[in-house]
Structures are given as structure tokens and as C-alpha cells.
Amino acid sequence: MIKRNDLPPLLTGMMATLVGVGLARFAYTPLIPILVLQGWFDASAAIYLGAANLLGYLLGALMAHRLSERFGARQLLAFCFISIALSFFASATPGSFAWFFFWRLLAGITGAILVVVGPSLALTRAPIARRPVVGPLVFCGIGLGALLSATLLPLLIQYDLMWSWLTLGVLSLLAGFICDQGLARLPPAATIAAANGTGGGAPVLSIAIILVMLAYAMDAAGFIPHTVFWVDYLAREQGQTSSAAAAQWAMFGAGAIIGPLVAGLLVSRLGWHRSLATGYLIKCLAIALPLLASGLLTNSISSFLVGAMVPGLVALTSGRLAELGGPAEHKRLWGYATAAFAVLQAASGYAMSGLYEMIGSYQPLFALGSALLGVGLLLIIISGRCRPAASPRSL
């Protein structure tokens, strides 16, 4: 149950994930077929613009920790929210590929910074007893952003594509204001450290931590078909209407809201490691479902479960790293993990875009994605058998 003192860290982390991933990245997915149909870009260019955001995410993940230490979290997060809003405003009218590439790249960079810094602030500024609650819930913002884009954008597109971009920009600014209000009410870091008995020190990169990070990278590579190509696959390869394909993206968003809640329940019963392994198994099977059938029920189950496990695995990985390495070094470890995630995400995005251009079909990409999640599951299982290099105070 959420308590009043949970609200500042929750607002800080949830608004950061809402804009950083839910809008800056996932809102572009339902726009891809519309950009193609209205002649802004051909299919190949629209897909590569989606991959530009993944490249930006990599760059942002590599810079996030250092920038937050140099400029301060509040100023840095404000800059990121404003930059993402500007990227949407700048995309409101047709432009060149280079123009859109720059803004999608910038949205990826600043989105990654939000995802590294915001949830880490929320987790480390919350008391130890509240972290299993606060940690997973901050990632509900990812699902909320996906659900907003799935419900609002189809309505706005009926009038003009410009209104979709402008609305996304306004939502980013509003979320940034709410995040800033949460940031202003966070307890000082020194107060929390003293209350929890935590201190600094270099993070211990044990074998278990490295394996969890590698598994997280496999997740990044494996879910590309659902988070970049899914709506376009349904609309152009399965012949569904734009509204039907958008409804599946809404199902994805609904799952993404529920996923962190389920993750929190799993952790309370199974612990961080077993919950993480369970999440990988569910996501591996859900990505493979389109290979078995293409009916409404199968697509809906796949949309919902993959949607649930996108933020679910993020939340579980974040919590597992804090358990293995200690909450005091969570931001640094989470930055490493996000960078590994971003490397494979960008590489997979460009590779799968090129593969689609070669074969002209999305279906083989779902098989590849499911196999990559299977590798991630194996790595998580092995990590649970490794003896930790240290005994940090756990969540």
C-alpha cells in the first residue's frame, strides 16, 4: 500500500520513466504506419528513425551518471524534459530525414538520462523498508506513456498528425513539472544514508552482477520486434486497420502499467532473483506467440504480456542490482546496466531494421527476439548460482 511519504520518490521516478521511455520512445511506434501512409517518409526511413532513438538511448546511458554528478539531478532532469518536449514540437511539420534524425536522437539521449537518474533517485531516497514498493512502481510510468500514446494519438491523427506531436510535447512539459515537484520534496541524501546506514564506495562487479547485466542486454535486443515494429507489423503485414493496430498498442500499454505491480507482488513472494527469472520466461514465450497464430486473442495476449514484462523486467533488474551491489551504489550500477541495455538495443534495432529490409517480413524477427530472451533467462538462472563477492545491505 502506498503511503504519503512514498509520493515524492514515486512522482520523481514515475514521471521520468513516463517521458523517458513511454513518450520519447514508445509514442513513436504507433506513428510509424501513419508517417508512411501520409508520405512523410517511406517505410525504411521511418524504421531507421526509430532506430535513431535507440542510438541516442545508448549515448545518454553512457553519460547519465557523470552528468548527474557534475550538474546536479534537478537541473539535469529539467533540461531533459524540456529537450524531449522540443523534439516533439520540432517534429510537428514534415521535414527532412536529417532533421527528424537529430530530434529522435536527442530524445533518445535525454530519455536515457531520465531513466537512469530518475528511478535511481526514487529508490535511493526511499527508506529501505519502502524500496520493494517504490522500486517497481516508478516503472509504471513506461506503461502510462504507452497507454496515453495508444489512446490519444489515434484520436488526434484524425485531425492532423501535427496535433499528435504537439500534444506529446505538452505532456512532456507537464510531466516534467510534476517530476520537479517530487524532486523538491525528496529527503536529503545524507538523511536517508544516515537512517539506512548506507555509505559510498566503489560498486563490486561480481559475476552475478555481470550476468544480470548481460541478461538485461539480451532483453534489450529481444524485445525490439514488439516495441519498434509491432504496430507496423499488424497494420501492414497482417492487414489490420490503423485503429485495430492501435488498439493492440493500447493493450501493450495496459500491460505495461500492470507489469510493475505484478513485479512487486512477485518480489514479496519469490524474492528478486526468482521473480526476475519468472519474468524472462514469460516474456520469452510471449514474444514467440505471433509465430504460432495471428488471431485477435493471440495478438492481444502477446501485446499484454510483452507490455507487462517491458517495465516489469526493468523494475526487477533494477531491484536485483540494488540487492546484489547495495543501494548506495545503485545509480552507478544501474547506469552500467542501462548502457549495456542501450548497446544491444541500438545494435539490435539497426540489425533488425536491416534484416527486415533484406527479407521483407517481420515474422523471423519475432523468432530471433524470443531466442534472445531465452539466452537472457539462462544467464539469470546461472547468476543465481554464483556466490556474491560482497554482502551489501539488501533491499
Side-chain angles (χ1 to χ4, degrees), residues 30 151 304 327 330 350 367 374 395:
T151 52
F304 184 84
H330 176 265
Y350 279 97
L395 297 183

Side-chain angles (χ1 to χ4, degrees), residues 42 56-57 85 99 132 188 199 212 229 231 246 265 275 283 287 296 302 311 335 338 340 357 364:
D42 61 29
Y57 197 86
W99 175 261
V212 169
F229 309 132
V231 174
L265 291 174
S275 298
K283 197 170 183 180
I287 290 176
L296 175 63
S302 182
T338 304
E357 200 170 4

Side-chain angles (χ1 to χ4, degrees), residues 57-58 61-62 116 216 333-345:
Y57 197 86
L58 165 60
L62 295 172
V116 172
Y216 193 46
L333 290 173
W334 186 228
Y336 294 161
T338 304
F341 182 97
V343 169
L344 266 293
Q345 181 179 242

Side-chain angles (χ1 to χ4, degrees), residues 152-312:
L152 285 179
L153 296 186
L155 297 176
L156 295 169
I157 287 169
Q158 296 177 13
Y159 299 97
D160 195 308
L161 189 54
M162 174 188 72
W163 291 109
S164 298
W165 293 111
L166 295 179
T167 300
L168 291 171
V170 172
L171 287 175
S172 299
L173 291 177
L174 178 60
F177 174 77
I178 296 172
C179 178
D180 189 70
Q181 295 303 300
L183 270 169
R185 290 164 175 78
L186 286 177
T191 301
I192 291 296
N196 293 337
T198 57
V204 179
L205 287 177
S206 65
I207 297 297
I209 288 175
I210 292 172
L211 289 174
V212 169
M213 290 182 180
L214 290 175
Y216 193 46
M218 292 299 102
D219 175 34
F223 78 166
I224 290 295
H226 268 75
T227 56
V228 177
F229 309 132
W230 185 233
V231 174
D232 196 43
Y233 164 72
L234 295 173
R236 295 197 301 116
E237 205 160 304
Q238 287 197 7
Q240 296 187 16
T241 63
S242 296
S243 60
Q248 287 297 324
W249 191 244
M251 185 71 72
F252 179 99
I257 291 177
I258 293 173
L261 303 176
V262 175
L265 291 174
L266 284 174
V267 170
S268 66
R269 289 164 173 77
L270 301 178
W272 291 103
H273 170 68
R274 291 183 180 178
S275 298
L276 188 57
T278 301
Y280 271 90
L281 177 61
I282 293 172
K283 197 170 183 180
C284 174
L285 297 175
I287 290 176
L289 275 179
L291 300 171
L292 305 177
S294 59
L296 175 63
L297 179 61
T298 304
N299 287 339
S300 298
I301 292 173
S302 182
S303 295
F304 184 84
L305 290 180
V306 175
M309 286 301 104
V310 166

Side-chain angles (χ1 to χ4, degrees), residues 19-221:
V19 175
V21 177
L23 297 184
R25 179 182 169 193
F26 286 166
Y28 182 75
T29 300
L31 292 178
I32 290 177
I34 308 302
L35 290 170
V36 175
L37 290 173
Q38 294 193 9
W40 285 36
F41 299 102
D42 61 29
S44 177
I47 290 170
Y48 275 111
L49 285 175
N53 187 257
L54 306 184
L55 176 60
Y57 197 86
L58 165 60
L59 298 175
L62 295 172
M63 297 186 292
H65 175 70
R66 185 172 298 176
L67 289 176
S68 69
E69 294 294 315
R70 181 172 181 180
F71 295 106
R74 192 172 183 182
Q75 293 84 350
L76 180 61
L77 293 186
F79 171 80
C80 291
F81 280 110
I82 292 170
S83 296
I84 290 171
L86 287 176
S87 77
F88 289 131
F89 294 145
S91 303
T93 56
S96 67
F97 178 85
W99 175 261
F100 271 75
F101 186 95
F102 170 79
W103 289 109
R104 295 306 299 154
L105 182 73
L106 179 63
I109 293 171
T110 49
I113 295 171
L114 287 179
V115 172
V116 172
V117 179
S120 184
L121 278 174
L123 186 68
T124 56
R125 298 291 181 89
I128 285 179
R130 303 302 299 163
R131 286 172 182 164
V133 175
V134 172
L137 285 181
V138 298
F139 294 99
C140 287
I142 296 175
L144 182 59
L147 188 60
L148 282 172
S149 66
T151 52
L152 285 179
L153 296 186
L155 297 176
L156 295 169
I157 287 169
Q158 296 177 13
Y159 299 97
D160 195 308
L161 189 54
M162 174 188 72
W163 291 109
S164 298
W165 293 111
L166 295 179
T167 300
L168 291 171
V170 172
L171 287 175
S172 299
L173 291 177
L174 178 60
F177 174 77
I178 296 172
C179 178
D180 189 70
Q181 295 303 300
L183 270 169
R185 290 164 175 78
L186 286 177
T191 301
I192 291 296
N196 293 337
T198 57
V204 179
L205 287 177
S206 65
I207 297 297
I209 288 175
I210 292 172
L211 289 174
V212 169
M213 290 182 180
L214 290 175
Y216 193 46
M218 292 299 102
D219 175 34

Side-chain angles (χ1 to χ4, degrees), residues 233 237-238 290-294 359 361-368:
Y233 164 72
E237 205 160 304
Q238 287 197 7
L291 300 171
L292 305 177
S294 59
I359 61 181
S361 173
Y362 286 124
Q363 278 229 324
L365 304 185
F366 291 100
L368 178 58

